[in-house]
Amino acid sequence: MLTKGIITKINSGTYTVLVDDNIYYDCSARGKFRNNKITPVVGDKVEINTEDKVIENVLERKNYLLRPPVANIDIALIITSIKSPNLSLTLLDKLISIITINKIEPVIVWTKLDLASKKELKEINKLTKYYESIGIRVFNNKKINKLKKYIKKKLVTVCGQTGAGKSTLINRFDKKLNLETKEISTSLGRGVHTTRIVEIYNLNDFNIIDTPGFSAIDISSYSLDEIKNSFNEFKRLKCQWNNCSHVKEKGCQVIQKKNEGYILESRYNSYLSFIEELK
Ligand SMILES: Nc1nc2c(ncn2[C@@H]2O[C@H](COP(=O)(O)OP(=O)(O)O)[C@@H](O)[C@H]2O)c(=O)[nH]1
Ligand SMILES: [Mg+2]
Ligand SMILES: [Zn+2]
């Protein structure tokens, strides 16, 4: 008899599969997955044989991310600190694009607002309004209940720079969790990777995955069209030119609206830097 479940953890060849939201089975995977070039990942819906404790089938994926290796994600929380590590709008926009291209909903979560100056907070308010205006939800790690409500019943992953506060946020979701968090090494200005294994934490209302942070991510494996379409504000404008790259074409709607101040300068600059990476 085959039973359906979801992979919550993979640790040196052992796949932990959650069935019916309450029973965990430690399973192995059949060799045929390796031959079919399917590598089961955390978040995969699978069929297991509960007697042999073997994964027999990996069911079709809704989406799949390579880094972190996860599948079937509903929402990716982009954990974005204002200070230490400093805010990088290029990285934020890059994560938004990659997540959008992979058919996952990006959600911004500001952290370390307590370390920001008045002026910086004002800037954050402006950014929040802009991102909301293009259809992206924005939260912060102080108003945790609002965020909890939004991700109810979803499979959620966190992403963002090392040291941004991902594990700290997940710990606040549930006091029983005690994920290791690390202070940023001040001399290097770089965080220490404390999260090594990708694992789904099954909390009362939702499932969440902690991941090691990453600072350098590659957008060059995507196409120009995919990158263009990942900018909601460009799509809405419907530039009249079919193949417009929105860089220097005459009569381009995107360039015009940017010059009129309707498109955030940093967003447009992020876009330019991404398509530069394609070359
Ligand atoms: N001041 C301040 N520190 C925070 C906040 N969130 C997390 N931290 C600290 O930032 C450091 C890195 O956090 P951690 O959760 O390990 O980051 P991760 O690498 O993204 O998982 C830890 O020392 C946390 O205590 C915040 O909102 N404000
Ligand atoms: Mg962490
Ligand atoms: Zn254009």
Side-chain angles (χ1 to χ4, degrees):
M1 245 267 292
L2 292 182
T3 307
K4 280 193 181 125
I6 176 170
I7 299 178
T8 63
K9 187 167 81 172
I10 301 173
N11 197 357
S12 45
T14 301
Y15 299 76
T16 305
V17 177
L18 174 63
V19 172
D20 287 338
D21 244 12
N22 59 20
I23 315 167
Y24 288 95
Y25 292 92
D26 279 340
C27 300
S28 59
R30 287 231 188 275
K32 68 176 179 197
F33 296 128
R34 281 183 281 278
N35 299 336
N36 286 345
K37 291 202 175 135
I38 292 183
T39 311
V41 296
V42 165
D44 261 327
K45 291 179 178 146
V46 294
E47 287 181 326
I48 61 168
N49 179 327
T50 51
E51 270 158 40
D52 301 351
K53 298 201 170 55
V54 169
I55 297 175
E56 297 282 355
N57 285 313
V58 177
L59 303 179
E60 205 182 318
R61 291 170 177 162
K62 171 166 114 173
N63 53 47
Y64 167 74
L65 282 180
L66 192 62
R67 267 204 300 165
V70 288
N72 300 315
I73 302 292
D74 297 307
I75 290 176
L77 302 178
I78 307 174
I79 311 303
T80 309
S81 60
I82 314 306
K83 280 272 166 71
S84 96
N86 286 342
L87 175 63
S88 162
L89 291 177
T90 319
L91 178 68
L92 173 61
D93 289 332
K94 196 180 255 188
L95 287 168
I96 291 173
S97 283
I98 290 176
I99 290 161
T100 305
I101 293 169
N102 283 288
K103 299 186 170 56
I104 298 170
E105 180 188 350
V107 167
I108 299 169
V109 182
W110 304 123
T111 63
K112 312 207 187 187
L113 292 172
D114 53 297
L115 302 180
S117 67
K118 274 220 172 86
K119 194 171 153 234
E120 286 163 331
L121 285 178
K122 236 175 143 178
E123 182 63 24
I124 294 300
N125 273 332
K126 198 180 114 194
L127 290 169
T128 299
K129 289 212 177 85
Y130 182 82
Y131 284 106
E132 284 177 339
S133 79
I134 59 165
I136 296 173
R137 301 295 298 247
V138 185
F139 296 88
N140 67 58
N141 68 343
K142 285 192 201 154
K143 297 189 175 151
I144 200 119
N145 284 330
K146 260 189 166 170
L147 177 57
K148 256 176 148 170
K149 222 168 157 181
Y150 190 70
I151 61 179
K152 207 169 170 169
K153 306 257 184 273
K154 307 277 193 199
L155 177 56
V156 180
T157 188
V158 292
C159 58
Q161 278 179 283
T162 304
K166 296 179 292 296
S167 302
T168 305
L169 179 79
I170 296 177
N171 281 337
R172 282 194 206 152
F173 281 138
D174 191 328
K175 301 235 156 51
K176 289 191 292 290
L177 283 175
N178 193 10
L179 307 182
E180 200 184 339
T181 60
K182 267 266 168 61
E183 228 158 294
I184 302 233
S185 136
T186 43
S187 58
L188 285 167
R190 261 193 273 141
V192 188
H193 287 273
T194 45
T195 311
R196 281 190 191 84
I197 296 176
V198 178
E199 176 172 2
I200 299 181
Y201 300 100
N202 185 232
L203 305 184
N204 273 336
D205 277 343
F206 55 92
N207 289 293
I208 193 154
I209 305 174
D210 193 14
T211 66
F214 35 83
S215 44
I217 44 166
D218 193 17
I219 200 165
S220 62
S221 58
Y222 300 104
S223 70
L224 175 62
D225 266 347
E226 285 175 315
I227 294 174
K228 263 161 64 176
N229 286 329
S230 69
F231 281 75
N232 291 348
E233 60 269 65
F234 296 1
K235 251 188 351 194
R236 283 181 189 182
L237 283 176
K238 297 204 173 50
C239 183
Q240 73 236 54
W241 313 117
N242 263 339
N243 287 316
C244 190
S245 65
H246 315 315
V247 177
K248 50 185 168 213
E249 290 88 343
K250 279 220 170 71
C252 165
Q253 278 294 307
V254 171
I255 297 172
Q256 191 182 328
K257 290 291 171 198
K258 185 208 55 139
N259 290 339
E260 289 170 7
Y262 291 104
I263 292 174
L264 205 67
E265 196 84 29
S266 59
R267 285 285 285 169
Y268 187 73
N269 290 340
S270 292
Y271 171 71
L272 290 184
S273 76
F274 301 163
I275 61 173
E276 195 56 39
E277 278 185 48
L278 291 183
K279 288 174 191 155

